[in-house]
């Protein structure tokens, strides 16, 4: 806190603060500054505490067409936004918003394909304001490749020859 001349004031001597006890968790808060001594008046200030970035993002289950994501609960978060990287757009796009859960199943994916995801926590304050935390680190994971189908089997001279269809994403 500084006065009109830019002098730094001393808490307890030049001013007192009143702030809510719960302000250690993410949300929107009001703090009151009461001037005293050589200073008069007061000021109400509003500030926000954003949630910490989501951590522990993992692919719990992968099928040929879906990936189930899980993550560690972020203290104070009331919901999360799931982002998927879009190569055609060159950026992450919103895939879903979820509340009070730490898992999401992304469906409609292509078999044997690599995807990138991020999770961003948020808090909705009492007045409806949404306070966003930072996004998680990117998780790069892939769907399972399709199962190949055997087209033919031929045997000659004690050897068998198999021919199967190619599937994308195999190595």
């Amino acid at each position: 806190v500084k006065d009109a001349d830019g002098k730094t004031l001393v808490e307890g001597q030049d001013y007192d603060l009143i702030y809510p006890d719960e302000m250690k968790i993410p949300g929107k808060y009001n703090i009151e500054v009461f001037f005293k001594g050589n200073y008069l008046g007061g000021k109400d200030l509003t500030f926000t505490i954003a949630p910490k970035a989501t951590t522990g993002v993992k692919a719990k289950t992968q099928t040929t067409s879906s990936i189930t994501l899980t993550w560690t609960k972020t203290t104070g978060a009331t919901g999360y936004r799931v982002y998927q990287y879009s190569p055609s757009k060159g950026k992450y796009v919103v895939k879903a918003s979820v509340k009070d859960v730490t898992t999401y199943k992304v469906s409609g994916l292509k078999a044997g394909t690599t995807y990138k995801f991020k999770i961003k926590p948020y808090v909705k304050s009492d007045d409806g304001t949404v306070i966003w935390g930072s996004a998680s680190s990117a998780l790069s994971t892939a769907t399972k490749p399709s199962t190949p189908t055997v087209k033919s089997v031929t045997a000659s001279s004690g050897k068998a020859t198999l021919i199967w269809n190619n599937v994308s994403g195999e190595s």
Side-chain angles (χ1 to χ4, degrees):
V1 176
K2 295 183 180 188
D3 69 9
D5 297 326
K7 177 185 169 193
T8 300
L9 304 182
V10 178
E11 184 178 354
Q13 176 184 324
D14 299 320
Y15 67 92
D16 287 321
L17 297 175
I18 297 177
Y19 52 89
D21 292 335
E22 69 273 6
M23 72 177 212
K24 293 179 182 178
I25 60 173
K28 186 174 179 180
Y29 300 99
N30 291 319
I31 188 168
E32 297 175 75
V33 181
F34 292 100
F35 295 100
K36 63 185 193 177
N38 295 329
Y39 301 93
L40 298 173
K43 179 105 176 154
D44 289 342
L45 303 171
T46 301
F47 66 98
T48 59
I49 298 175
K52 291 183 180 179
T54 304
T55 60
V57 180
K58 296 177 185 172
K60 180 180 178 184
T61 310
Q62 293 121 309
T63 69
T64 56
S65 63
S66 69
I67 297 171
T68 300
L69 303 170
T70 64
W71 56 89
T72 305
K73 181 169 178 50
T74 302
T75 302
T78 54
Y80 302 89
R81 198 166 265 173
V82 179
Y83 292 87
Q84 180 179 331
Y85 185 75
S86 169
S88 64
K89 294 182 180 178
K91 64 179 183 177
Y92 284 86
V93 295
V94 176
K95 190 68 178 174
S97 290
V98 296
K99 294 181 183 179
D100 300 324
V101 296
T102 56
T103 185
Y104 180 74
K105 183 177 182 178
V106 184
S107 300
L109 303 176
K110 185 178 174 186
T113 305
T114 300
Y115 295 92
K116 292 182 192 176
F117 300 97
K118 289 185 178 185
I119 311 295
K120 185 185 258 192
Y122 69 86
V123 172
K124 197 165 190 178
S125 66
D126 294 338
D127 68 359
T129 303
V130 176
I131 303 161
W132 293 98
S134 297
S136 66
S137 298
L139 169 69
S140 182
T141 188
T143 51
K144 289 184 178 183
S146 300
T147 303
T149 304
V150 175
K151 290 182 177 181
S152 67
V153 179
T154 55
S156 77
S157 305
K159 294 181 182 180
T161 302
L162 293 144
I163 298 175
W164 61 87
N165 67 324
N166 189 28
V167 295
S168 64
E170 89 285 7
S171 55

